[in-house]
Amino acid sequence: MKLGFACKYINEDLKQLYPFKATTRTRFLSLDNHQRTALIFTLAKNNLTHLYLILEQMASQPEDLRMMRIGSDFLPLYTVPEATPLYADFLPELHDLFKKCGDFARKNNIRLSFHPGQYSVLASDNPAVVDRALEDVEYHALCASLMGYGRSFQDFKINIHMNGKKGLAGFRDAFARLSPAAQRMLTVENDEISCSLDDVLQARDLCPVVLDIHHHWVKENEFIKPDDPRVALIKESWRGVRPVMHYSVSVEGLIPEQGFPDQAILGVAKTKLRAHSDYYFNDTLNDWALSFGDFDIMCEVKMKNLARDKLYARWLTKQ
C-alpha cells in the first residue's frame, strides 16, 4: 500500500519546502509579451526544478510513501489564451527537465497524479464549459506526457469528477474527444453532492473509478466496507492496475475523535462536513481507511505529508 500526499511538501517546522510558484492572470496581462514570456518561463522552470527536489526527498523514504499529486499550476496560466502560444515558443527548452522528473519517478517507483479542479466539467450542458474542460484535461495530459507517461493504461492518473447536467451521456461524449494519452490516464471519482458512487460506476467501462470514502460518507451517511460488491466493481475498472482511493475526514471539532460519526446525530450541514481536517485524528476512521488493503491511498488532508506520515505510523502498528 502506498500513501500519498497532495501538492505541497511540508517539513516538521510546518514550512513548505520546494514550493510551486504561480502568478495571477491580471499581473500576466499587465506585461508586454517579452515580460510575459520571461515570467512564465521562470515560474515553470522553478516548478520543474522543485518537483525534482521533492521527488528526491520521496526517494529517500520507504516505498510505501512514494506517491504524490502534482499541483495543477505546474505550468502557470498554460490554458490562458494569451499564454498558450508563448509556452509553445519555449517549452522545448524544458523538455529535459520534464524527462528528468519522469525518469527519476519511474526509477524510484514513485506514483504520480494530477487532479484538475472541479470547474473542469466534462458532462456540462454548456458546450463552452466542456471545451474548456477538455482543454484543461489535455493540459495535464501534456505535462504527464512530457514526463514520459500516457504510454500505457494508468501509468499516470488524471482524476476528475463526473458532475454536470448531461450526466453519463455527456461524460461519455466528452471522453471520446480526448486524446488517446488522456484517455489512458483519466480516472473519475464520486463526489459528496451531485455524483454518487453508483453514478460514477456507470463510467467504469471508460476509465477507472476512484473511490472517495469521505465523499461517500458525506453523501450517503454510509461507511462503505472493503467487501461491498461495489468495491469489487471499482477494482475491476482498474484492469489489473492497483487502484487508488481518496481518504479525508471532516474538520476537527465537527466529528468525534473516535468511533463512526452518524450525521443524524451530529446535526451538521453536509456543506460543513465536506471540508478536510488538518490531521487524521480519529483512529476508528483511520483503521477503516487502512482496511482497504488492495488500494493505494491519496491522503487529502491539510497538513499534507505530515498527516500522511502519522497515518503511515498507524498502519505500521497493524503489520
Side-chain angles (χ1 to χ4, degrees), residues 89-103:
D89 290 339
F90 66 74
L91 202 56
E93 298 179 47
L94 299 176
H95 283 185
D96 286 347
L97 271 174
F98 274 104
K99 184 177 184 300
K100 182 180 179 182
C101 289
D103 288 348

Side-chain angles (χ1 to χ4, degrees), residues 33-155:
N33 263 10
H34 176 75
Q35 292 171 320
R36 292 175 181 179
T37 300
L39 173 63
I40 57 177
F41 174 79
T42 300
L43 294 175
K45 186 174 182 179
N46 169 86
N47 295 348
L48 278 160
T49 302
H50 281 195
L51 174 61
Y52 188 80
L53 293 172
I54 294 173
L55 295 176
E56 283 189 319
Q57 290 286 328
M58 296 171 68
S60 69
Q61 299 171 350
E63 286 211 20
D64 302 331
L65 302 180
R66 299 182 191 179
M67 181 176 175
M68 177 190 179
R69 175 189 299 163
I70 304 170
S72 290
D73 55 358
F74 199 38
L75 299 182
L77 304 182
Y78 182 88
T79 58
V80 172
E82 295 84 357
T84 307
L86 301 182
Y87 269 105
D89 290 339
F90 66 74
L91 202 56
E93 298 179 47
L94 299 176
H95 283 185
D96 286 347
L97 271 174
F98 274 104
K99 184 177 184 300
K100 182 180 179 182
C101 289
D103 288 348
F104 187 86
R106 284 184 292 274
K107 179 181 178 181
N108 291 280
N109 195 23
I110 299 172
R111 192 170 192 178
L112 298 175
S113 64
F114 282 120
H115 192 343
Q118 293 192 28
Y119 57 83
S120 292
V121 183
L122 292 180
S124 173
D125 59 347
N126 183 331
V129 171
V130 175
D131 289 344
R132 289 195 296 271
L134 290 167
E135 182 181 38
D136 192 40
V137 172
E138 293 292 358
Y139 151 66
H140 290 84
L142 170 66
C143 292
S145 296
L146 289 174
M147 287 189 282
Y149 294 101
R151 298 174 182 176
S152 61
F153 178 75
Q154 281 304 309
D155 59 358

Side-chain angles (χ1 to χ4, degrees), residues 10-291:
I10 302 172
N11 68 11
E12 292 294 336
D13 295 325
L14 308 185
K15 178 182 178 181
Q16 183 182 352
L17 299 181
Y18 319 124
F20 285 6
K21 294 183 179 180
T23 188
T24 64
R25 180 171 181 160
T26 300
R27 180 192 175 197
F28 172 79
L29 293 177
S30 72
L31 305 174
D32 62 37
N33 263 10
H34 176 75
Q35 292 171 320
R36 292 175 181 179
T37 300
L39 173 63
I40 57 177
F41 174 79
T42 300
L43 294 175
K45 186 174 182 179
N46 169 86
N47 295 348
L48 278 160
T49 302
H50 281 195
L51 174 61
Y52 188 80
L53 293 172
I54 294 173
L55 295 176
E56 283 189 319
Q57 290 286 328
M58 296 171 68
S60 69
Q61 299 171 350
E63 286 211 20
D64 302 331
L65 302 180
R66 299 182 191 179
M67 181 176 175
M68 177 190 179
R69 175 189 299 163
I70 304 170
S72 290
D73 55 358
F74 199 38
L75 299 182
L77 304 182
Y78 182 88
T79 58
V80 172
E82 295 84 357
T84 307
L86 301 182
Y87 269 105
D89 290 339
F90 66 74
L91 202 56
E93 298 179 47
L94 299 176
H95 283 185
D96 286 347
L97 271 174
F98 274 104
K99 184 177 184 300
K100 182 180 179 182
C101 289
D103 288 348
F104 187 86
R106 284 184 292 274
K107 179 181 178 181
N108 291 280
N109 195 23
I110 299 172
R111 192 170 192 178
L112 298 175
S113 64
F114 282 120
H115 192 343
Q118 293 192 28
Y119 57 83
S120 292
V121 183
L122 292 180
S124 173
D125 59 347
N126 183 331
V129 171
V130 175
D131 289 344
R132 289 195 296 271
L134 290 167
E135 182 181 38
D136 192 40
V137 172
E138 293 292 358
Y139 151 66
H140 290 84
L142 170 66
C143 292
S145 296
L146 289 174
M147 287 189 282
Y149 294 101
R151 298 174 182 176
S152 61
F153 178 75
Q154 281 304 309
D155 59 358
F156 194 102
K157 169 172 151 281
I158 299 175
N159 185 65
I160 64 171
H161 293 238
M162 202 181 75
N163 52 326
K165 290 185 178 180
K166 294 188 75 173
L168 176 64
F171 185 82
R172 188 178 296 276
D173 289 344
F175 182 87
R177 296 171 58 190
L178 289 169
S179 66
Q183 289 181 352
R184 285 191 286 268
M185 291 186 274
L186 199 72
T187 63
V188 62
E189 73 169 294
N190 57 298
D191 68 53
E192 66 274 68
I193 300 298
S194 60
C195 261
S196 69
L197 178 56
D198 292 330
D199 291 330
V200 298
L201 275 170
Q202 297 176 79
R204 66 185 185 275
D205 64 314
L206 298 176
C207 60
V209 173
V210 171
L211 170 63
D212 189 307
I213 58 176
H214 179 65
H215 286 172
H216 185 74
W217 173 71
V218 172
K219 186 167 179 59
E220 310 291 349
N221 196 24
E222 176 191 37
F223 292 95
I224 191 169
K225 301 296 174 59
D227 61 357
D228 188 294
R230 292 169 293 183
V231 174
L233 296 178
I234 291 168
K235 290 191 282 190
E236 287 176 13
S237 74
W238 286 83
R239 306 173 204 173
V241 175
R242 186 174 177 86
V244 175
M245 59 178 269
H246 292 174
Y247 174 46
S248 55
V249 296
S250 299
V251 172
E252 287 88 344
L254 290 184
I255 64 172
E257 294 186 4
Q258 60 183 350
F260 290 104
D262 184 340
Q263 292 182 41
I265 296 175
L266 292 175
V268 178
K270 289 181 182 292
T271 52
K272 291 187 176 181
L273 293 174
R274 296 168 65 184
H276 297 169
S277 64
D278 289 335
Y279 289 97
Y280 294 123
F281 57 89
N282 181 318
D283 276 335
T284 304
L285 298 182
N286 294 338
D287 292 345
W288 166 57
L290 293 170
S291 71

